[in-house]
Amino acid sequence: MCGIVAYIGGDAAFPVLIKGLQRLEYRGYDSAGIALLDPLLSVYKKQGKVAGLLEFARDVPTAGKVGIGHTRWATHGVPSDVNAHPHVSSDGEIALVHNGIIENYSLLKTALENQGHRFVSETDTEVLVHLIAEIKSRESADLEEAVRLALQRVVGAYAIVVMDAARPDILIGARKSSPLVLGIGADALYLASDATPIVEYTNKVVYLQDEELVVLRSDGTFEIKTMQNELMPPFIQELDINIEMLEKGGFEHFMLKEIHDQPRTIAECMRGRIHAAEGWVHLGGMEVCSDAFMNAQRLIFAACGTSWHAGLIAEYLFEDLARIPVEVEYASEFRYRNPVIAEQDVVIAISQSGETADTLAALELAKARGATTYGVVNVVGSSIARVTDAGSYIHAGPEIGVASTKAFTAQVTLLTLMALQMGLKKGTLDPVFFRELLHELEAIPGKVQAVLAMDKLIQQIAVEIKDKPNALYLGRGYNFPVALEGALKLKEISYIHAEGYPAAEMKHGPIALIDEEMPVIVLATNKSAYEKIASNIQEVKARKGLVIAIVSRGDTQIRAMADYTLEIPDTLEPLTPLLAAIPLQLLAYHIAVMRGCDVDQPRNLAKSVTVE
Ligand code: G6P
């Protein structure tokens, strides 16, 4: 959802900015731009990906030791050169990049136009740069003061970086509801939407807090202040990621690398948190709010996209193992519905990025109503991780492919551990079954590896589906959310319309769509509803649908009915999603590749949705 990178220091800014934009491209990729000071301001912007900007920049001067860059995911105004950031003041002196939305831009724009400012783009962002220029000239404020005053007049969300040809010795950054990280190098300072552009230069970072402003100086010093101009002591943290995590590592796409990473990431998520032989599970975050979990009358999960599907699996897990009522909410609906939230509720946000605007807002609402809040988050130091009362990181490492894969299975792993810990503590979980689940969890990474080894067969099935206009995914019980996730993966990256459905609901609508052109992917690993799933498959076959069945190893009954069968290792039912999700990820991946789609950067999507 727009990526920002900025540099001020002793070396050329341009290579740092371009590389940084490439790292941030997963956040948005409809246009990219750079502004440099040397000593005059030059701005280069191009619709399309960073590669296009780089090509364009071959023929233009790119010197300068201070600069800002931006990769855009359009909100206001179509993707175009002119709507790309940085935006520049009418006198050509001030340049600004922005991630977020300025909600009162229309009012501000009218006033600024009346004051003689010339707008050239359709963006909300452009008002900010003109407003800063206006305050600077009419109110004789210095750049820092002008930025502060301008931000006090805007309504909305922002992470911004501003530079001024009159002040080549400073850069100013600020944030509210959109992330911004300061990197502290040996002789340079960096600002970025996340740590990925910074990691190759330094591992020392400061995650700016909401409504903080930072002044970066070319001598390597910086100051963090509140919007009320109070100086804040910097909380310097060490990054726990490295460059290899940000590279494709020999895979053709990040998504494929991340799918193959799952045996490791699932194991990483469990490391030090369970011990099957000794029979324990321990999540420190849950201990922090142990009373809240023990006294809760219900749990509410709030999330978006793939994380919401993980939440649906959590509903099955917690109700099954910890016998507590669970609600799973789309964060965007929850926050605007005036929901009933009690102080005894525990509201659990699930988010890979930890920055999704709706999820963050849902949490803030829950907090305001007195509920305990908990975060299940991947990105360390992210906003959701910081605002919750407690939480557990999923430790999946950076996920770059826009379609979430390894974060999903790590979320499900973590949620399983949470349900086990709560179930054991509440006494709702049979100790023998608890032990069995722990042993089986330890075996899951190896079983995921076995599913990954079925790639050739999955590619053959992909050939059958790749030219179909639609696909239906069916599952029951724990496999129902997996069906939703499988359908989401396919539509996100291959643009084939796909729907996930509870298998038994098929006859209440989707059955009307079934003919020989409709592939139906059925998750049929369940033990508890096996015969019912088998009947659902008969219903599809009777209408000439093409059935691809995911079954447990050794299955014969469904194999005899389905057109294609994928046999995955057997496991305990609550852990089925961790295995069943994998072939669906690979299937979507291969179909998208066969259709020539841009797998890592599918059209219109962004990895991290920091606007509502
Ligand atoms: C976007 C991404 C999805 C992700 C969703 C929620 O739509 O493309 O992959 O599941 O946001 O993101 P979060 O970071 O909160 O998990």
Side-chain angles (χ1 to χ4, degrees):
M1 183 79 12
C2 297
I4 288 176
V5 59
Y7 173 90
I8 185 163
D11 294 322
F14 182 76
V16 178
L17 298 180
I18 282 288
K19 199 158 202 187
L21 289 182
Q22 284 164 336
R23 296 254 191 251
L24 288 170
E25 208 164 17
Y26 73 91
R27 297 177 69 92
Y29 31 82
D30 62 47
S31 53
I34 276 180
L36 297 160
L37 275 181
D38 184 42
L40 296 178
L41 183 70
S42 346
V43 179
Y44 308 122
K45 322 199 281 189
K46 275 275 148 226
Q47 184 184 343
K49 298 204 174 180
V50 178
L53 177 69
L54 185 57
E55 192 55 41
F56 171 77
R58 284 193 207 292
D59 305 325
V60 298
T62 54
K65 295 178 176 175
V66 49
I68 58 180
H70 187 272
T71 178
R72 178 170 186 248
W73 183 85
T75 57
H76 295 62
V78 295
S80 66
D81 291 358
V82 78
N83 286 336
H85 300 214
H87 290 284
V88 180
S89 57
S90 303
D91 61 7
E93 289 280 294
I94 301 175
L96 172 145
V97 287
H98 167 225
N99 170 27
I101 289 184
I102 305 303
E103 289 168 13
N104 59 341
Y105 80 99
S106 181
L107 273 176
L108 290 169
K109 183 173 177 180
T110 311
L112 286 160
E113 278 176 332
N114 291 338
Q115 285 162 322
H117 296 270
R118 198 169 27 86
F119 282 73
V120 293
S121 79
E122 304 158 281
T123 66
D124 54 324
T125 298
E126 199 184 345
V127 295
L128 261 178
V129 74
H130 292 302
L131 185 57
I132 293 167
E134 171 68 19
I135 295 171
K136 207 181 149 215
S137 69
R138 294 220 185 193
E139 300 178 24
S140 306
D142 66 11
L143 182 65
E144 182 189 331
E145 187 63 7
V147 170
R148 189 187 337 277
L149 292 173
L151 292 177
Q152 285 168 6
R153 291 175 206 179
V154 301
V155 177
Y158 55 80
I160 58 164
V161 188
V162 188
M163 71 183 196
D164 183 350
R167 292 298 309 271
D169 58 325
I170 60 168
L171 277 177
I172 295 182
R175 68 154 283 181
K176 182 184 177 194
S177 306
S178 291
L180 201 58
V181 187
L182 165 70
I184 307 161
D187 63 350
L189 294 168
Y190 309 82
L191 277 175
S193 299
D194 62 43
T196 57
I198 296 174
V199 66
E200 48 206 292
Y201 310 107
T202 176
N203 67 351
K204 278 203 256 163
V205 294
V206 178
Y207 294 96
L208 290 193
Q209 305 289 325
D210 248 6
E211 307 207 36
E212 280 185 348
L213 179 146
V214 61
V215 182
L216 279 55
R217 302 199 191 88
S218 52
D219 64 4
T221 60
F222 65 91
E223 270 179 353
I224 299 174
K225 298 179 179 177
T226 64
M227 289 296 163
Q228 288 69 44
N229 206 13
E230 287 163 72
L231 207 56
M232 298 299 287
F235 174 46
I236 300 174
Q237 289 179 264
E238 284 215 354
L239 286 176
D240 65 348
I241 53 174
N242 57 48
I243 298 174
E244 291 78 70
M245 291 172 165
L246 308 175
E247 309 279 351
K248 286 188 197 149
F251 286 93
E252 203 179 329
H253 296 98
F254 279 110
M255 184 181 177
L256 190 60
K257 177 191 176 205
E258 288 157 5
I259 291 173
H260 281 269
D261 224 8
Q262 291 174 110
R264 190 189 61 78
T265 48
I266 292 172
E268 207 52 52
C269 179
M270 294 190 287
R271 189 180 308 285
R273 290 167 160 174
I274 64 166
H275 201 296
E278 292 173 10
W280 54 259
V281 53
H282 178 80
L283 290 165
M286 281 187 87
E287 289 303 325
V288 172
C289 35
S290 171
D291 288 350
F293 275 101
M294 284 308 111
N295 299 329
Q297 296 304 303
R298 64 173 177 168
L299 304 179
I300 301 173
F301 289 87
C304 303
T306 288
S307 299
W308 183 75
H309 294 155
L312 287 181
I313 294 170
E315 180 174 21
Y316 287 83
L317 286 165
F318 279 86
E319 294 199 350
D320 196 4
L321 307 177
R323 307 300 300 143
I324 180 161
V326 170
E327 283 174 32
V328 188
E329 301 278 357
Y330 282 119
S332 53
E333 289 298 314
F334 181 66
R335 58 179 291 203
Y336 286 119
R337 201 184 61 216
N338 191 18
V340 178
I341 306 171
E343 285 185 8
Q344 302 92 317
D345 290 336
V346 179
V347 177
I348 301 166
I350 309 172
S351 176
Q352 186 285 128
S353 62
E355 301 293 348
T356 301
D358 283 319
T359 312
L360 196 52
L363 271 179
E364 272 152 11
L365 176 68
K367 261 181 116 102
R369 305 256 174 110
T372 300
T373 57
Y374 199 86
V376 174
V377 170
N378 190 30
V379 178
V380 175
S382 55
S383 300
I384 291 175
R386 285 188 278 116
V387 303
T388 39
D389 295 311
S392 305
Y393 285 117
I394 62 170
H395 296 308
E399 191 179 62
I400 313 284
V402 165
S404 185
T405 52
K406 66 174 182 174
F408 174 70
T409 47
Q411 286 166 343
V412 174
T413 305
L414 195 280
L415 292 163
T416 308
L417 303 190
M418 286 178 73
L420 285 174
Q421 184 161 332
M422 192 170 177
L424 191 71
K425 203 156 187 178
K426 280 185 73 183
T428 53
L429 187 53
D430 170 41
V432 177
F433 189 44
F434 170 74
R435 284 263 183 164
E436 278 180 47
L437 281 165
L438 287 190
H439 279 289
E440 190 54 26
L441 266 171
E442 287 188 345
I444 286 288
K447 292 188 177 185
V448 170
Q449 198 66 59
V451 181
L452 293 171
M454 296 163 61
D455 198 38
K456 281 274 164 310
L457 177 55
I458 295 171
Q459 285 187 45
Q460 285 166 24
I461 298 170
V463 174
E464 292 295 318
I465 304 180
K466 73 177 175 45
D467 297 318
K468 306 284 188 205
N470 300 292
L472 189 60
Y473 288 71
L474 301 177
R476 300 178 82 110
Y478 280 100
N479 275 334
F480 160 53
V482 182
L484 294 181
E485 176 59 10
L488 178 63
K489 286 288 88 71
L490 187 69
K491 66 187 146 197
E492 276 182 311
I493 60 170
S494 76
Y495 318 138
I496 293 177
H497 169 245
E499 284 194 59
Y501 245 81
E505 273 292 304
M506 178 187 65
K507 39 191 170 317
H508 300 290
I511 198 163
L513 301 171
I514 292 174
D515 59 17
E516 53 278 6
E517 278 304 293
M518 178 67 96
V520 183
I521 295 98
V522 189
L523 294 152
T525 57
N526 310 56
K527 297 181 178 69
S528 50
Y530 184 84
E531 292 304 332
K532 296 197 189 309
I533 280 273
S535 305
N536 296 141
I537 292 175
Q538 294 286 17
E539 288 154 15
V540 174
K541 280 318 302 169
R543 287 156 186 88
K544 300 195 168 58
L546 176 79
V547 172
I548 295 104
I550 318 285
V551 297
S552 298
R553 194 155 287 161
D555 179 284
T556 50
Q557 188 182 339
I558 287 179
R559 171 177 284 278
M561 295 182 234
D563 297 278
Y564 292 91
T565 351
L566 283 166
E567 274 190 29
I568 62 173
D570 199 16
T571 189
L572 296 170
E573 200 142 331
L575 308 185
T576 309
L578 291 170
L579 300 184
I582 314 290
L584 304 191
Q585 296 168 347
L586 282 170
L587 188 64
Y589 172 79
H590 289 303
I591 292 171
V593 170
M594 287 170 191
R595 287 166 67 90
C597 299
D598 190 343
V599 171
D600 283 335
Q601 295 173 350
R603 70 183 179 208
N604 304 340
L605 294 177
K607 181 86 188 144
S608 175
V609 182
T610 54
V611 295
E612 292 176 29

